[in-house]
Amino acid sequence: MLSDELKKQAALAAMSEVKSGMRIGLGTGSTAKHFVDYLGAEVAKGFECLCVPTSIATMQQAQALNIPLTTLDEIDRLDVTVDGADEIDEQMQLIKGGGGALLREKIVAAASDKMVVIADTSKLVETLGKFALPIEVNKFGLGATQNAVSDVMQQTGAEGGLVLRQSGDKPFETDGGHFILDASFGRISNAQTVSEKLLNVPGVVQHGLFLGLCAKAYLADATGVKQLG
């Protein structure tokens, strides 16, 4: 079965998590995009909601579908956020940020009563780290930050290298105006330790380890949709 079809199945299954009148966080990425499409179709039928998008791309998609939007300045809590993941393990620890929206995704997830992940089962892993960990960093002092992150990787047994994400011939820039370093750990045996050490680096704004945030996941394969949590 095509990957995009599986993403649609997972997104459709997560529609069971939303009820009319809810405040909903809208994720970013190819799977979350399908969820926003399904939500937009319900809004067209009279479904009521107030949503916070996690990226400019998602905001534009939601606006085109007439989904009512707000910000976390206007409301302080969300009922649920539905978003994709680059990796998820059985403990529902995540790596996110492949699309470059990890900071806003984490802010929105943390402001939600529940985070629901949607993905195909290829994203389910025994141990996080095969997918390079995105680390959002300040432009200022980039060289020093890269060196400090490399030190953290060495301390925690990373198996690969560190690269500055590119977009064409320029560094990729997030919606918030930051750069992203992609760190190839290979295997992250203690995600909490890696998280704490990275956040202690002054130039690190945030990283793509989402720990203790995901409450439920819908993972689709050719046999149907598996639920975690």
Side-chain angles (χ1 to χ4, degrees), residues 1 3 20 41 99 105 123 165 196 198 223:
M1 189 177 288
S3 175
S20 192
E105 288 172 337
K123 304 296 171 65
R165 188 180 297 184
E196 291 169 2
L198 287 174
T223 63

Side-chain angles (χ1 to χ4, degrees), residues 5-142:
E5 189 58 39
L6 296 178
K7 292 174 181 179
K8 287 180 180 178
Q9 287 187 17
L12 185 58
M15 285 297 294
S16 64
E17 297 290 331
V18 298
K19 303 287 185 286
S20 192
M22 276 189 169
R23 297 164 300 175
I24 304 166
L26 304 179
T28 295
S30 57
T31 312
K33 186 174 186 293
H34 291 307
F35 176 80
V36 176
D37 281 340
Y38 288 131
L39 185 64
E42 291 303 307
V43 167
K45 299 176 194 171
F47 185 94
E48 294 184 1
C49 58
L50 197 53
C51 300
V52 174
T54 54
S55 65
I56 292 172
T58 299
M59 177 189 72
Q60 291 171 340
Q61 181 193 0
Q63 286 173 333
L65 293 167
N66 297 313
I67 295 173
L69 299 181
T70 186
T71 69
L72 290 174
D73 296 317
E74 294 167 334
I75 60 172
D76 61 350
R77 291 296 297 174
L78 297 166
D79 295 298
V80 63
T81 286
V82 179
D83 205 349
D86 298 304
E87 283 187 347
I88 180 170
D89 66 14
E90 292 285 353
Q91 289 74 49
M92 292 191 287
Q93 299 181 123
L94 316 172
I95 285 182
K96 288 180 53 56
L102 68 95
L103 175 62
R104 294 187 182 190
E105 288 172 337
K106 192 174 277 192
I107 290 170
V108 171
S112 304
D113 293 339
K114 178 194 283 190
M115 180 190 189
V116 176
V117 162
I118 48 177
D120 61 76
T121 53
S122 70
K123 304 296 171 65
L124 182 62
V125 297
E126 194 173 308
T127 307
L128 298 178
K130 186 177 180 181
F131 190 93
L133 177 66
I135 304 166
E136 192 158 339
V137 298
N138 203 295
K139 292 179 182 178
F140 178 84
L142 178 63

Side-chain angles (χ1 to χ4, degrees), residues 195-218:
S195 171
E196 291 169 2
K197 285 181 177 291
L198 287 174
L199 291 176
N200 279 333
V201 175
V204 169
V205 180
Q206 194 47 262
H207 57 67
L209 285 170
F210 281 50
L211 310 177
L213 288 170
C214 178
K216 189 178 285 189
Y218 291 95

Side-chain angles (χ1 to χ4, degrees), residues 165-186:
R165 188 180 297 184
Q166 299 290 312
S167 177
D169 58 354
K170 295 180 179 178
F172 173 87
E173 195 168 313
T174 69
D175 287 350
H178 304 124
F179 289 158
I180 287 187
L181 301 175
D182 288 307
S184 298
F185 278 86

